[in-house]
Amino acid sequence: MTNDPPPPERAPGLYVHVPFCRTKCPYCDFASSTDRSLAARFVAAAATEAARWRGRFACFNTLYVGGGTPSFLGADELAALLDGVRGALPLGEKAEVTVEANPDDVTPRLAGRLRSIGVDRVSLGVQSFDDGELAFLGRRHDAVRASAAIACLREAGPPSLALDLIFGFPGHDEARWRHTLDEALAAAPEHLSCYALTVHERTPLGRRQAAGECVSASDERQRALFFLADRLLAGRGYVHYEVSNYARGDEHRSRHNTRYWDRTPYLGLGPAAHSLLGRRRWWNPRGIGPWLAAVEAGRDPAAGEETLDDDELLVEELMLGLRTSDGVPLDRLAVRADWKQTLAELVDAGLLERRGDRVAPTPAGMLVADALPLRFLPPVSPAGGGAPDTGGS
């Protein structure tokens, strides 16, 4: 048996969840706290948790610091966090290092410091260039501040810029969405994420919806906005490689997030973080208190785990792979005779297409990606909630 490390494209990814925000956005369902007094303990505990895994994963090829709002920590604590984690676990020389940031936190000092400590990619939570939409989302910045943050990062920050955008507000139309897309494209970002506004029950927006208020656009409108982004960004040279993600060329795909979609091993540190190694997945508690208590006491902080059987593994491969332009191997859809007919129907409907020895969704298929696997198998919901908590900025 060889002890050589896996090739870079299969090397594991490392995620650190920073559970702090200055304020909580009304649409956000990610685990976060506004109690910044725990920040120093969190930074130390993240390094301690990382050290528990020394020697149990191969050299990491990506490091993603998400949240919450990592930039809320500030330049010095972010540097300490990265130093602690990188000192405990091996990170490849050419690893992709991403930090999420909010526009109102970006200063020339932060931008320059991120670059100096080895961050090569910033994911900036712009969400919109319309002040009314930003107010609806409870964002602290306005469009002018978003543009200033982008300019600051372009001048002094890491070389790769990713922008997060949201569409599907009440009354959102194509003209307003095109304005936001055009403003984003003016910065020539290496990566764009365009998320449909999702309303979660336990958020303020969810409670407003439960009370009868309209808090999102209709399905028909969201469909039109999705296809507008697909057409416009394709025309500007962006690759639509996952339901919500576009890269300015394949070299600018998020190497870290691709690990979630193709089930490459990943290790998550911090509250609410998920990890995957082979068929085994485990997750930490959402609250920073229980996570801190366990790590500081020298205990494993995991709140739960599961091991996938063959059927669950196949369902997960379909659910993740059919979200991406890479799709899934054709032979994974040939394990049952009746699936051939299902595949033919989905191809005829323009939702899937064959690409050599793989099957991938069309743009229309990406719009309904969550439903595609259900045409082959009934859903299997992981006990821990399934997808990793990859944060949000």
Side-chain angles (χ1 to χ4, degrees):
M1 178 180 295
T2 178
N3 290 320
D4 291 340
E9 65 272 15
R10 295 296 297 176
L14 179 61
Y15 175 76
V16 183
H17 185 80
V18 177
F20 301 108
C21 289
R22 195 181 308 274
T23 57
K24 187 77 170 176
C25 296
Y27 61 89
C28 181
D29 191 41
F30 287 116
S32 65
S33 167
T34 58
D35 185 3
R36 197 184 182 285
S37 67
L38 299 174
R41 288 174 62 192
F42 163 77
V43 169
T48 300
E49 185 183 15
R52 291 180 59 90
W53 293 98
R54 188 180 289 121
R56 299 167 69 181
F57 275 80
C59 185
F60 293 92
N61 192 243
T62 65
L63 169 58
Y64 193 106
V65 183
T69 311
S71 58
F72 183 42
L73 287 179
D76 293 339
E77 284 180 311
L78 270 174
L81 175 64
L82 288 175
D83 285 346
V85 171
R86 289 187 295 205
L89 293 170
L91 194 65
E93 183 179 351
K94 296 183 179 180
E96 173 194 86
V97 180
T98 303
V99 171
E100 291 181 346
N102 274 1
D104 48 307
D105 294 328
V106 175
T107 63
R109 179 173 183 269
L110 177 67
R113 188 69 182 280
L114 288 176
R115 186 165 192 152
S116 71
I117 61 177
V119 175
D120 52 22
R121 188 172 182 273
V122 171
S123 179
L124 189 68
V126 171
Q127 316 308 7
S128 174
F129 286 94
D130 180 292
D131 287 346
E133 293 168 2
L134 290 168
F136 171 81
L137 291 173
R139 304 297 286 179
R140 298 186 304 275
H141 66 275
D142 58 16
V144 171
R145 185 70 187 88
S147 296
I150 290 171
C152 184
L153 288 167
R154 279 308 199 196
E155 181 176 352
S160 184
L161 177 64
L163 301 181
D164 285 359
L165 305 174
I166 294 178
F167 65 90
F169 310 96
H172 204 194
D173 59 30
E174 294 192 18
R176 288 166 57 191
W177 180 221
R178 174 141 196 167
H179 167 72
T180 282
L181 290 170
D182 285 341
E183 289 292 312
L185 287 168
E190 283 70 26
H191 192 277
L192 278 165
S193 295
C194 300
Y195 298 109
L197 179 64
T198 302
V199 180
H200 299 280
E201 289 184 4
R202 55 186 177 185
T203 64
L205 272 191
R207 291 190 285 273
R208 287 164 60 179
Q209 179 173 266
E213 183 178 347
C214 176
V215 295
S216 62
S218 66
D219 290 345
E220 181 179 357
R221 179 60 56 84
Q222 294 223 16
R223 178 184 177 88
L225 300 177
F226 175 89
F227 285 122
L228 171 60
D230 180 76
R231 293 192 305 271
L232 180 61
L233 295 179
R236 296 291 291 272
Y238 284 80
V239 179
H240 191 181
Y241 71 98
E242 194 270 343
V243 170
S244 302
N245 289 278
Y246 301 79
R248 203 182 71 197
D250 284 332
E251 69 273 20
H252 294 300
R253 294 188 185 200
S254 170
R255 284 160 51 193
H256 181 82
N257 285 343
T258 297
R259 279 151 173 74
Y260 300 137
W261 302 318
D262 67 10
R263 301 193 77 259
T264 296
Y266 52 84
L267 174 64
L269 307 175
H274 284 61
S275 303
L276 175 76
L277 186 58
R279 292 172 178 260
R280 178 175 174 254
R281 179 168 43 230
W282 62 99
W283 50 91
N284 287 344
R286 282 180 62 91
I288 186 172
W291 175 80
L292 274 175
V295 174
E296 292 175 341
R299 303 194 308 271
D300 180 356
E305 66 174 275
E306 64 180 352
T307 300
L308 302 183
D309 62 26
D310 288 346
D311 287 341
E312 292 168 333
L313 179 62
L314 178 56
V315 171
E316 182 162 292
E317 288 179 358
L318 296 183
M319 292 182 71
L320 296 173
L322 292 180
R323 295 183 61 85
T324 74
S325 61
D326 292 332
V328 298
L330 179 60
D331 60 12
R332 294 299 272 164
L333 297 177
V335 295
R336 285 175 40 179
D338 57 315
W339 285 13
K340 294 181 181 180
Q341 178 62 34
T342 299
L343 175 58
E345 292 171 357
L346 292 173
V347 169
D348 288 344
L351 299 177
L352 292 178
E353 60 185 4
R354 296 182 182 179
R355 300 176 186 169
D357 61 353
R358 301 187 70 84
V359 175
T362 63
M366 283 188 172
L367 181 65
V368 294
D370 290 343
L372 294 178
L374 306 186
R375 295 288 298 273
F376 296 95
L377 279 178
V380 176
S381 299
D389 190 342
T390 54
S393 57

